Amino acid sequence: MKILVPVKRVIDYNVKVRVKADQTGVDLANVKMALNPFCEIAVEEAVRLKEAGNASEVVVVSIGTTAVQEQLRTALALGADRALHIETDQHLDSLQVAKLLAKVVAQEQPGLVILGKQAIDSDNNQTGQMLAALTGMGQGTFASKVQLADGKVLVTREIDGGLQTVALTLPAVVSTDLRLNEPRYASLPNIMKAKKKPLDVIAADSFGVTLSSNVTVLKVAAPASRQGGIKVESVAELVDKLKHEAKVI
Amino acid sequence: MAILIIAEHNNLSLKSETHKVVQAAAAIGGDITLLVAGFNCKAAADEAATVAGVSKVLLADNAVYQHQLAENIAALVTEVGKDFSHILAPATTSGKNFLPRVAAMLDVAQISDVIAIESADTFVRPIYAGNAIATVQSSDRIKVLTVRPAAFRAASDGNSAPIEAVSAAHDAGVSAFIDEELTKSERPELSAARVVISGGRGMQNGENFALLNGIADKLGAAIGASRAAVDAGFVPNDMQVGQTGKIVAPDLYIAVGISGAIQHLAGMKDSKVIVAINKDAEAPIFQIADYGLVADLFSVLPELEQQL
Ligand SMILES: Cc1cc2nc3c(=O)[nH]c(=O)nc-3n(C[C@H](O)[C@H](O)[C@H](O)COP(=O)(O)OP(=O)(O)OC[C@H]3O[C@@H](n4cnc5c(N)ncnc54)[C@H](O)[C@@H]3O)c2cc1C
Ligand SMILES: Nc1ncnc2c1ncn2[C@@H]1O[C@H](COP(=O)(O)O)[C@@H](O)[C@H]1O
């Protein structure tokens, strides 16, 4: 079985984000970029399934500018076998990404698609669910455990009240939560090997998908900043402030 | 404008998130219909009918909807929702699960985690873990939105809207419910509590979370945690507050042994009053705390419980 893992290049999660002065977006010039943390977990899970003998090939795919090839190489160094770069300079929304991924699914015919639950830039949390809808597959979102058995995948999901397990007919879509696994570090030999693994580039507009979105960003502003308050010296002072100044207890 | 809201419930009763989405819908303006989809969920529909501002409740009561499987709920919502101008659900793990599926089936975008409504087509939402706030305008024929409950007040009760049965039974046949482990707690839910007290890695282990219990009892508080505390196995995952956990905005948030990583702040920085207890005076959490106490939590917590 082949596993397809869509991965996104995003701002590194440690970077302090700054909004551009003209409010058109976030300043990404000279900012450290990385593989989206949830995608890293998705790659790790796919590689583990392969190592356990449950999958034959792990294919990673990323949609974006030439720069995303850096993250594809990272994914290859983590153990993916082959990469696809769907090239476009256009900013895409999750629906357009999902439509392109649906085309890739039709071509590659994976038995399982594993992607991140959320890209930490857009914080959309949509692409996996949309891809599942467009391909008619079942979805196991926010996965903290994935088990393959008898042509099905059992997915334990992190939900608001606790955990829920669902069984999905294959092929299926799984989106990863943080506790699914702890991604490995790429070793130097694997980083070297990754440079030789196949990476195919396909133009996004060759798929016949409308890439424009009906959603326009009017402005991106900095959040209202919160004033730091005061330090109290004792528990007694804290309780007194909460009662008489803040009046919240 | 005709707005369809997918109610959040557990078949027995309505969750408070639904009231908040109704409040958000009221800001859009127009006729509000609530859809209660579940199994043996008449009681939840009865409750939905009392929410102020709702003009009709649709009740889809069928075994295929019992566990809110995304494939089945999405098929139902796509059919019921196709003639509405807006489809809304709370940005809970349930709403986030099925609503993007609905949007894709309707071939429209979803706007996630809306925190303010500017007009019927213009919405405000946080991006980059709340470090930027985007205002977006949609020209889609149906606007599909998840609404962040913590950003809205709850609509009041006192209505008696009519309830209409929906017979459509959609079973996509690609997924099945196996089981569920729900955390049992006598405390208020994190998202609904007026006071939240959260512990971080500084708590050191799961047993020490008991130090928060007495304080939570006295304040009627819910107990939350940082991801580090959840990852270390101190407490279950559904207690995680943050960018990728629960978003809360209580009147009072008490962070104990939490450093204040941006991903944690994303989940609590809109709280009215923030208290931080941390032994490291340089911890970033103090930059946003209204009241900071630099001290060892193991001496502070028993004292705090006693003085409340
Ligand atoms: C993609 C992604 C998503 C994430 N999502 C979330 C999320 O949703 N929520 C979240 O919380 N995190 C999230 N994180 C993790 C986040 O980056 C931090 O690692 C985490 O919040 C740290 O938790 P902490 O503050 O408990 O631990 P630490 O950063 O280790 O802080 C522990 C604090 O306890 C203090 N302390 C220790 N002992 C004592 C004592 N005896 N008395 C008083 N103080 C003491 C220390 O001074 C320190 O400040 C995410 C990370 C990534 C990459
Ligand atoms: N441009 C992209 N290329 C490949 N995968 C993507 C892209 N955008 C989003 N994804 C995948 O979809 C997941 C969820 O993203 P989102 O729905 O945007 O929050 C990510 O973790 C990726 O796995």
Side-chain angles (χ1 to χ4, degrees):
Chain A
M1 181 181 75
K2 188 190 285 184
I3 303 180
L4 182 71
V5 184
V7 299
K8 189 174 185 189
R9 172 186 169 91
V10 298
I11 193 163
D12 184 88
Y13 79 96
N14 277 317
V15 170
K16 175 104 187 68
V17 168
R18 272 177 228 293
V19 167
K20 287 191 203 159
D22 65 1
Q23 298 202 327
T24 55
V26 160
D27 196 352
L28 293 178
N30 303 316
V31 162
K32 184 170 175 222
M33 302 296 280
L35 194 56
N36 182 42
F38 292 98
C39 300
E40 212 176 327
I41 295 169
V43 172
E44 176 68 30
E45 194 65 16
V47 170
R48 286 188 194 187
L49 286 169
K50 188 184 163 195
E51 287 169 347
N54 286 317
S56 50
E57 191 186 23
V58 176
V59 181
V60 287
V61 52
S62 192
I63 304 168
T65 63
T66 317
V68 308
Q69 291 187 10
E70 188 190 339
Q71 278 61 47
L72 286 171
R73 290 288 173 203
T74 304
L76 291 170
L78 293 171
D81 299 296
R82 177 159 74 80
L84 296 172
H85 170 206
I86 313 287
E87 190 174 16
T88 174
D89 288 344
Q90 219 166 319
H91 166 83
L92 304 182
D93 269 345
S94 293
L95 180 64
Q96 284 69 40
V97 170
K99 284 181 179 179
L100 288 170
L101 293 176
K103 298 282 186 190
V104 175
V105 165
Q107 264 174 25
E108 295 280 339
Q109 299 283 322
L112 193 61
V113 182
I114 310 182
L115 28 59
K117 81 161 177 182
Q118 174 173 342
I120 61 160
D121 50 3
S122 70
D123 280 334
N124 267 351
N125 195 334
Q126 304 175 358
T127 307
Q129 298 88 316
M130 288 181 159
L131 174 64
L134 297 173
T135 53
M137 292 192 222
Q139 63 184 60
T141 50
F142 327 145
S144 64
K145 193 170 169 198
V146 174
Q147 283 170 283
L148 286 163
D150 311 327
K152 288 200 194 299
V153 58
L154 282 180
V155 182
T156 302
R157 311 180 46 237
E158 296 197 0
I159 59 171
D160 285 337
L163 296 170
Q164 179 192 64
T165 303
V166 293
L168 310 172
T169 310
L170 296 176
V173 173
V174 169
S175 81
T176 61
D177 217 315
L178 290 172
R179 273 164 293 281
L180 179 58
N181 61 48
E182 199 155 321
R184 68 193 69 188
Y185 288 96
S187 66
L188 195 57
N190 285 342
I191 293 172
M192 298 314 289
K193 256 196 265 169
K195 294 189 175 153
K196 300 208 184 74
K197 290 187 181 176
L199 189 160
D200 290 330
V201 184
I202 312 165
D205 51 21
S206 69
F207 287 96
V209 167
T210 309
L211 298 180
S212 59
S213 157
N214 288 334
V215 178
T216 321
V217 177
L218 300 182
K219 75 169 184 198
V220 175
S225 71
R226 216 187 152 101
Q227 297 294 324
I230 56 160
K231 293 251 170 68
V232 292
E233 294 304 324
S234 66
V235 172
E237 188 187 348
L238 175 63
V239 172
D240 179 70
K241 294 279 187 203
L242 291 177
K243 277 195 179 139
H244 301 113
E245 193 175 88
K247 298 190 170 67
V248 284
I249 61 171
Chain B
M1 233 70 72
I3 305 167
L4 178 67
I5 297 174
I6 322 308
E8 178 113 353
H9 63 87
N10 60 3
N11 292 318
L12 302 172
S13 63
L14 197 68
K15 297 267 178 81
S16 63
E17 285 86 351
T18 307
H19 290 78
K20 308 219 169 150
V21 181
V22 170
Q23 188 73 26
I28 296 172
D31 203 51
I32 300 174
T33 301
L34 266 185
L35 170 64
V36 177
F39 187 44
N40 292 333
C41 56
K42 175 73 170 48
D46 287 340
E47 238 182 286
T50 68
V51 181
V54 171
S55 58
K56 184 162 74 179
V57 174
L58 298 176
L59 170 60
D61 195 337
N62 194 296
V64 296
Y65 307 129
Q66 180 170 10
H67 301 290
Q68 306 290 318
L69 288 174
E71 299 79 2
N72 299 352
I73 298 283
L76 171 72
V77 175
T78 305
E79 182 194 309
V80 171
K82 65 182 187 305
D83 297 324
F84 284 83
S85 61
H86 296 73
I87 304 178
L88 278 58
T92 54
T93 52
S94 173
K96 289 176 188 171
N97 190 32
F98 68 76
L99 205 63
R101 201 170 169 107
V102 171
M105 288 162 82
L106 292 169
D107 195 22
V108 298
Q110 171 178 293
I111 298 171
S112 296
D113 253 318
V114 170
I115 57 167
I117 310 278
E118 298 241 304
S119 72
D121 67 2
T122 305
F123 313 100
V124 181
R125 61 175 302 256
I127 52 178
Y128 293 90
N131 290 304
I133 306 292
T135 303
V136 299
Q137 186 171 40
S138 164
S139 61
D140 271 325
R141 110 199 106 83
I142 304 177
K143 276 78 170 160
V144 173
L145 323 176
T146 60
V147 172
R148 177 176 289 188
F152 293 89
R153 284 186 301 114
S156 48
D157 285 320
N159 191 2
S160 57
I163 301 178
E164 206 175 279
V166 177
S167 59
H170 290 275
D171 185 356
V174 289
S175 59
F177 170 83
I178 303 294
D179 61 29
E180 211 158 56
E181 269 172 64
L182 298 183
T183 315
K184 287 189 193 66
S185 168
E186 303 297 308
R187 300 190 192 286
E189 286 190 37
L190 263 177
S191 47
R194 206 185 61 77
V195 178
V196 173
I197 179 162
S198 293
R201 201 198 307 269
M203 299 299 292
Q204 285 177 9
N205 58 44
E207 289 76 65
N208 288 340
F209 263 75
L211 292 169
L212 304 178
N213 287 341
I215 299 168
D217 287 343
K218 289 196 166 160
L219 296 174
I223 299 184
S226 71
R227 177 188 168 199
V230 174
D231 273 359
F234 301 172
V235 291
N237 64 279
D238 60 301
M239 286 170 66
Q240 180 180 317
V241 171
Q243 179 187 17
T244 52
K246 293 214 172 86
I247 312 281
V248 300
D251 287 350
L252 174 61
Y253 187 90
I254 308 177
V256 185
I258 293 179
S259 62
I262 47 173
Q263 293 87 4
H264 188 78
L265 303 189
M268 44 66 77
K269 71 176 160 53
D270 293 326
S271 305
K272 211 162 105 197
V273 174
I274 295 174
V275 170
I277 300 168
N278 196 306
K279 67 178 182 190
D280 173 10
E282 302 301 314
I285 187 84
F286 288 123
Q287 291 165 18
I288 63 147
D290 299 283
Y291 302 107
L293 180 54
V294 182
D296 188 299
L297 67 92
F298 295 103
S299 60
V300 166
L301 291 176
E303 209 182 322
L304 180 60
E305 177 177 348
Q306 203 202 347
Q307 292 198 22
L308 285 171

